Amino acid sequence: MQVRRGIRDYPLVGVVLLTAVVGVVLEIAGPPGSARWVVGAVALVVAALQLRGMVEALRAGSYGVDVLAVTAIVSTVAVGEYWAALVVGLMLTGGEALEDYASARAGRELTSLLARAPSVAWREDDDGDLEEVAVAQVGPGDRLLVRPHEVVPVDAVLDSADGVFDESSLTGESLPVERGRGDRVLSGALNGASAVRLVATATAADSQYQRIVTLVQEAQESRAPFVRLADRVAVPFTATAFLIAGLAWGLSGDPMRFAQVLVVATPCPLIIAAPVAFMAGMSRGARGGMIVKDAGTLEQLAKVRSVAFDKTGTLTHGRPEVVAVHPVPGEDGDRVLAEAAAVESWSAHPLAQAVVAAAQARGRVPASVEAREVPAHGVEAVVDGVVVRVGKADFVAPVAVAVAGDGGSDADLPRPAPGAGGTLTGHTQVHVSRDGRLVGTVVLADVVRAETPRTLDQLHRMGVGRTVMLTGDAEGTARRVAHEIGLDDVRAGLLPEDKVAAVTGLERPVLMVGDGVNDAPVLAAADVGVAMGARGSAAAVESADVVVMLDDLSRVPRLVLLGRHTMRVAWQAIAIGVGLSVVLMLVGATGRMPAFVGAWMQEVVDLACILWALLAARPSGDERALLSEQTRTGAGPAPAVGAAHGDQPATDPDRAPS
């Protein structure tokens, strides 16, 4: 079956192989000289077809080095080495098949992503009956059943009590993840051992997996500038080969030497090695949850000199978290947090959700209360028979503020005891009172990712010259964060167009990392734009050159190492091919290597180059060391930073939570 499919896809290979069989039979039992005429004729037909293709390529403005192989066939037939001519013909006709196989092997991670794209879904109607429908027919609100070990067809929320999903094809993380009712489930995730029910939130075209499929298709169709450079390297290689062959013929007076040199000067290392290496590198990235959309991006990654970061959602988590609870003397911090959570439990405001989540993490389940919102100030509710207010200081304890205003100061208010958090600059403070008396303060902040300081340190050690924060935050908050995490430079208070201008002024190539809608212009302007988390802004994902599927900043230094490793392997593969070919040409020039043997030796060189190029699919020693360091150090304590969202300048730190 495989042989039949191969002959169908590559018919000229079948013709050459059949000719070889017929030629052997004629050599043994045929008329004298018949094998030479049959084999030589077929070899010349292959050369003619190749020449026609080469002329068409030249008209299209693309130079090819197949002229060496065509000349080798003609010269070997002319001097009577027809079997050597057939071997070169096999190399030419089988070159496409060999490249396709090597590229498929190199890009199998990319191909597997395409192959796993779901095509059908089980939709449940109002009566509870199931029908199998094409995934394109699923729309938001449809109830779906996903059976054990099936792929989730569209983005959805879990309607079952719980479920376990394998998201490795999306994020590169091998461990299954657990989801609860109401949690988001991404299309492309593999369901566990139990059937689950979902409610679709998007069509297939707008779902996560389809976005990945589109990115992968773009990656497979791309052509790196380095590959075009390899084409240009072929020009001096071709000239050198003809020079050696001509000198060998001229000095010896034997035309056989000309043929013996050219049969080992075939161009497969230059034609195949670089594309295979780049495909292998992109496949390696996909396996780690990093989709490189264009092969040329790998070349830029290898040369990165500056790295710029958005702050909110990139260096930080992009959401408020409770970083401290400071009760006044005599009050219990857990009670203060529980009462604040009870008041906030009805609200969908991000600050309110953060307070509730912190209380739940401490085992304090918020009580159900009737709450009253005072716009721009806070929320009031009765909790366990007492009036609890949460919000700004002048709202939660107006009497104390009024007293402070009569010749006093804000410092006269009851204040929480000093905590380990240090300065509150840039933090959001939510005050809590009970029956008009301040009982404590809940401090919230956007928290720096645990991996951020380690990532910046690794980039510096890898030779990246400058790391910069580009943010819309206030200057003071931005500079304090930069100092804490080890950034070289800070540009604060920036609008999207200001970020673009800042990137163009950095040492090139520049890698920019961001995740929001306002990052899309600067991601497009940078030499390499990296979008953090494909779950983020669609605009950022479309503008970026690389999409990191997992929301993990530590992937950034791995990307730089991936680019360097891919480029190194590509150059090594070409150098091996060219070097071995030159050595073989010099041996051929001496007349000590028959043309038939030389033709097969060149096939060995081709195979060696391809196998070496496939090494780009394996992690480099530097990447293994980096992964080992990241595993060993783990996630350290995360410092807190300003809570301004969307990279907008921070305002009053005493913000109302609703």
Side-chain angles (χ1 to χ4, degrees), residues 56-67:
E56 292 174 354
L58 285 171
R59 287 176 177 173
S62 175
Y63 176 76
V65 291
D66 290 340
V67 62

Side-chain angles (χ1 to χ4, degrees), residues 207-544:
S207 290
Q208 173 81 357
Y209 205 77
Q210 185 56 49
R211 291 166 71 181
I212 297 175
V213 167
T214 301
L215 295 177
V216 169
Q217 288 172 337
E218 291 176 1
Q220 287 188 321
E221 294 169 1
S222 67
R223 178 173 168 84
F226 179 85
V227 177
R228 290 190 289 273
L229 176 61
D231 291 344
R232 292 197 296 271
V233 169
V235 176
F237 176 77
T238 302
T240 301
F242 278 120
L243 177 62
I244 295 174
L247 287 174
W249 184 1
L251 294 176
S252 67
D254 183 3
M256 181 68 74
R257 302 285 181 90
F258 185 83
Q260 289 171 332
V261 170
L262 290 188
V263 293
V264 295
T266 50
C268 274
L270 297 173
I271 296 173
I272 300 177
V276 168
F278 276 87
M279 185 63 70
M282 290 191 293
S283 181
R284 169 67 188 159
R287 189 159 63 249
M290 302 169 287
I291 304 296
V292 180
K293 295 163 63 174
D294 181 84
T297 299
L298 289 170
E299 186 175 7
Q300 294 290 351
L301 281 168
K303 300 183 291 186
V304 163
R305 298 298 304 152
S306 306
V307 180
F309 298 89
D310 169 49
K311 180 179 81 67
T312 306
T314 302
L315 295 171
T316 71
H317 286 289
R319 61 180 182 272
E321 297 180 20
V322 172
V323 295
V325 179
H326 297 315
V328 300
E331 289 290 340
D332 176 65
D334 282 349
R335 181 182 178 187
V336 171
L337 182 62
E339 289 176 337
V343 175
E344 297 281 42
S345 60
W346 69 278
S347 176
H349 192 282
L351 294 181
Q353 292 178 338
V355 171
V356 172
Q360 291 174 334
R362 297 191 185 190
R364 298 284 185 143
V365 180
S368 178
V369 297
E370 289 290 334
R372 178 179 69 88
E373 180 183 3
V374 179
H377 289 85
V379 186
E380 176 185 275
V382 176
V383 181
D384 295 333
V386 297
V387 177
V388 176
R389 285 185 172 184
V390 179
K392 291 188 174 182
D394 59 356
F395 170 69
V396 303
V399 175
V401 173
V403 171
D406 295 332
S409 68
D410 189 54
D412 297 322
L413 285 172
R415 280 299 183 192
T423 176
L424 296 180
T425 301
H427 292 62
T428 296
Q429 303 177 58
V430 176
H431 301 277
V432 184
S433 71
R434 190 184 307 122
D435 284 339
R437 183 177 64 86
L438 184 71
V439 294
T441 304
V442 179
V443 183
L444 300 98
D446 186 4
V447 177
V448 169
R449 297 174 183 271
E451 70 270 18
T452 296
R454 183 180 64 243
T455 295
L456 296 173
D457 178 62
Q458 289 168 342
L459 287 171
H460 283 129
R461 285 189 279 122
M462 288 163 51
V464 172
R466 196 164 189 81
T467 55
V468 184
M469 178 198 295
L470 305 179
T471 178
D473 263 1
E475 182 84 15
T477 298
R479 291 202 173 277
R480 183 177 61 80
V481 174
H483 176 72
E484 289 177 352
I485 62 180
L487 279 165
D488 298 323
D489 192 8
V490 178
R491 314 286 176 86
L494 302 182
L495 296 173
E497 56 267 31
D498 299 324
K499 292 184 177 183
V500 172
V503 159
T504 56
L506 296 175
E507 184 180 0
R508 314 299 289 254
V510 180
L511 184 151
M512 174 68 199
V513 189
D515 75 322
V517 173
N518 62 342
D519 295 324
V522 69
L523 289 176
D527 297 290
V528 180
V530 178
M532 282 288 295
R535 309 179 193 188
S537 157
V541 170
E542 289 299 320
S543 302

